[in-house]
Amino acid sequence: MGCGVAHSGDTPNVLYVHSHDTGRHVQPYGHAVETPAIQRLADEGVLFRHAFCTVPACSGSRAALLTGRYAHETGMTGLAHRGWALDDDGRHLVHTLRRAGYWTGLVGEQHVSADPGVLGYDAVLDLPDHHAETVAPAFKRLLEQRPAGRPFFASVGFVETHRDFREPVDERDARCALPPPNLPDTPQTRRDAAAFTASARRLDRGIGAVLDALDRHGLAQDTLVILTTDHGIPFPGAKATLRDQGLGVLLILRGPGFTGGQVQDALVTHLDLFPTICEVAGAELPGRLPGRSLLPLARGTVDELHDAVFGELTHHVAYEPQRSVRTRRWKYIRRFGDRTRPVLANVDDGPSKDLLLAHGWADREQSAEQLYDLVFDPLECHDLAGDPGHAPVLRELRDRLDRWMEETGDPLRHGDVPPPPGALVNDPDDVSPEIPPRVAGAAARPA
């Protein structure tokens, strides 16, 4: 299936810039987080207000974006640094682009493979860390070593805004910062939010340096810039959950086909980026993919691409299998297995988590099925799954999720999904991800 025709000399470059754990908590989405470089990108490109990842965990999300397939279709149902891997590295986007004549380079965070050298990039820069002040100058070096006469695809990954937040907290921010809306407003949560804000500002400076490098090399007009993040922010109720705060991501595209400071309200997902890049690059799609190109939205020839988007979580640091379907109006989440208490190891440690634990979070029950009306309950606080008046909606979304799992070959429909041999896993009863993991298959630690 073709996506267009590449023409020598006028094929755009593609720059994929991505952060860690940022959600949509940046300035162009209305948050009080000053990120002028990201705002500049939004002012010049197309901002998607309702973009979602497919997995609220690092490796699964990135693998889905870069293969155009759901994580359970690629084997990436856990974390790469804990022993999960793509079942076929040839599905990675770089192979499609290299066949189309692209030179490919990787700088900084990637989180799809424990060994980035196996992914197929022409150049992988070895860096001491993936913080903004290290990654941005390295991107400049990558531009200088690219071959003349060929378009490039560059992946530039920043570790910001992942915990631990290492930036000093501005005391004014600590007094005035607004915590995420699902958390109480306390000194602990305000300081935690201020620490995130400091990390987001550092991220923005790195992004600004990358955009400046494009300008200095005269490449801005000929480069499609894609800016996104892997999943929601590293706070309770966001990252590693299938709520909108876990699956919602920033997504801004600027460059050929994406200009004018547009704001798009259509439901889109990370899976739409693979076919978008193919269409812009004139590359051949590797088989049938579930995503659709974003170009028709940007051109105004369609108003919607999807009437529903799907989410999944299998393993984060601990096993917590769940799936979701989201429409404009409704969110349906199904948890699998017998566990009803939170899997706290899947929540990053921090002051906000400590506050909730001190108030009994570990003992709060979770329903196996959850249904939320996103018009009247956008924070997904009032579960309607047990309301007889909403039984038809529940049944419809339950059936739709079942069909999706069947159509995509989700292994969870047949029972528990085990980790790969030798993977490192935490027990679901562990309170912290910092508790040393065990090797999959080894006996659980004594209580």
Side-chain angles (χ1 to χ4, degrees):
M1 178 177 173
C3 299
V5 179
H7 299 284
S8 177
D10 61 5
T11 304
N13 307 304
V14 180
L15 174 59
Y16 163 50
V17 183
H18 44 105
S19 67
H20 225 327
D21 299 12
T22 309
R24 301 184 186 128
H25 282 245
V26 290
Q27 183 178 350
Y29 288 86
H31 294 278
V33 181
E34 294 180 6
T35 50
I38 299 175
Q39 184 65 58
R40 168 194 164 192
L41 201 65
D43 291 342
E44 297 171 348
V46 180
L47 179 144
F48 294 86
R49 294 287 296 195
H50 298 287
F52 296 89
C53 66
T54 62
V55 184
C58 310
S59 296
S61 172
R62 296 165 190 265
L65 188 158
L66 290 165
T67 64
R69 296 170 171 88
Y70 291 104
H72 66 258
E73 297 180 287
T74 69
M76 190 60 77
T77 56
L79 298 174
H81 68 284
R82 283 178 170 246
W84 274 260
L86 292 174
D87 55 18
D88 180 0
D89 291 326
R91 291 178 169 181
H92 196 291
L93 175 65
V94 297
H95 297 282
T96 295
L97 292 179
R98 289 180 69 183
R99 287 192 293 270
Y102 276 72
W103 181 83
T104 61
L106 170 65
V107 181
E109 196 76 19
Q110 53 86 22
H111 224 296
V112 176
S113 174
D115 177 10
V118 306
L119 294 176
Y121 287 92
D122 293 298
V124 177
L125 298 195
D126 185 21
L127 304 179
D129 62 70
H130 296 157
H131 291 289
E133 65 269 25
T134 304
V135 171
F139 172 67
K140 300 173 189 176
R141 297 198 299 274
L142 188 77
L143 287 180
E144 292 163 359
Q145 71 180 67
R146 75 192 193 283
R150 291 177 63 188
F152 69 81
F153 170 81
S155 172
V156 179
F158 298 99
V159 72
E160 288 87 3
T161 52
H162 195 282
R163 293 180 187 266
D164 289 325
F165 305 130
R166 64 188 185 122
E167 290 76 17
V169 177
D170 181 277
E171 288 305 315
R172 180 181 179 187
D173 284 346
R175 294 193 303 271
C176 302
L178 185 66
N182 64 305
L183 296 177
D185 187 354
T186 70
Q188 298 101 305
T189 58
R190 288 195 293 272
R191 179 167 286 274
D192 208 10
F196 174 90
T197 296
S199 186
R201 288 172 178 157
R202 185 180 293 270
L203 167 68
D204 188 73
R205 290 194 291 273
I207 292 170
V210 166
L211 297 178
D212 289 345
L214 279 184
D215 290 339
R216 283 196 296 274
H217 283 80
L219 296 168
Q221 296 300 314
D222 300 321
T223 300
L224 173 64
V225 179
I226 299 168
L227 174 64
T228 191
T229 188
D230 48 5
H231 49 67
I233 59 176
F235 284 77
K239 177 181 178 178
T241 79
L242 298 184
R243 298 174 184 270
D244 276 10
Q245 291 193 82
L247 294 171
V249 293
L250 70 97
L251 179 62
I252 304 170
L253 279 71
R254 186 197 74 179
F258 297 91
T259 57
Q262 298 181 51
V263 173
Q264 282 287 340
D265 286 300
L267 287 177
V268 301
T269 87
H270 273 166
L271 298 181
D272 297 322
L273 289 173
F274 200 118
T276 301
I277 293 169
C278 279
E279 184 169 1
V280 169
E284 190 80 10
L285 271 179
R288 186 175 179 85
L289 299 177
R292 297 178 62 187
S293 172
L294 299 171
L295 274 166
L297 285 173
R299 292 169 177 157
T301 57
V302 301
D303 295 325
E304 297 284 352
L305 295 182
H306 311 284
D307 62 355
V309 294
F310 297 88
E312 62 179 303
L313 182 68
T314 306
H315 298 267
H316 190 226
V317 305
Y319 186 55
E320 191 178 7
Q322 48 189 307
R323 301 290 186 262
S324 69
V325 55
R326 186 202 196 278
T327 67
R328 277 285 178 195
R329 177 82 185 255
W330 305 100
K331 165 74 69 65
Y332 170 68
I333 301 172
R334 185 189 304 168
R335 302 178 67 85
F336 292 77
D338 298 328
R339 187 179 181 89
T340 60
R341 291 182 293 110
V343 181
L344 297 170
N346 285 339
V347 183
D348 290 352
D349 294 340
S352 298
K353 178 179 178 179
D354 292 342
L355 177 72
L356 297 187
L357 287 174
H359 287 80
W361 184 22
D363 298 320
R364 292 179 68 88
E365 296 285 314
Q366 300 180 106
S367 301
E369 290 187 299
Q370 300 163 39
L371 177 68
Y372 301 102
D373 184 337
L374 300 174
V375 171
F376 292 101
D377 182 23
L379 291 180
E380 301 167 64
C381 297
H382 183 47
D383 182 7
L384 299 171
D387 179 4
H390 289 87
V393 176
L394 179 66
R395 185 166 53 250
E396 177 188 349
L397 294 180
R398 181 191 292 144
D399 291 346
R400 184 156 194 177
L401 187 68
D402 286 339
R403 290 195 303 272
W404 171 76
M405 293 177 69
E406 185 68 30
E407 290 165 0
T408 59
D410 192 339
L412 188 58
R413 71 195 192 282
H414 298 308
D416 284 343
V417 179
L424 299 177
V425 295
N426 280 86
D427 295 324
D429 286 331
D430 286 347
V431 175
S432 167
E434 300 305 316
I435 292 175
R438 60 182 174 85
V439 177
R445 292 186 299 274

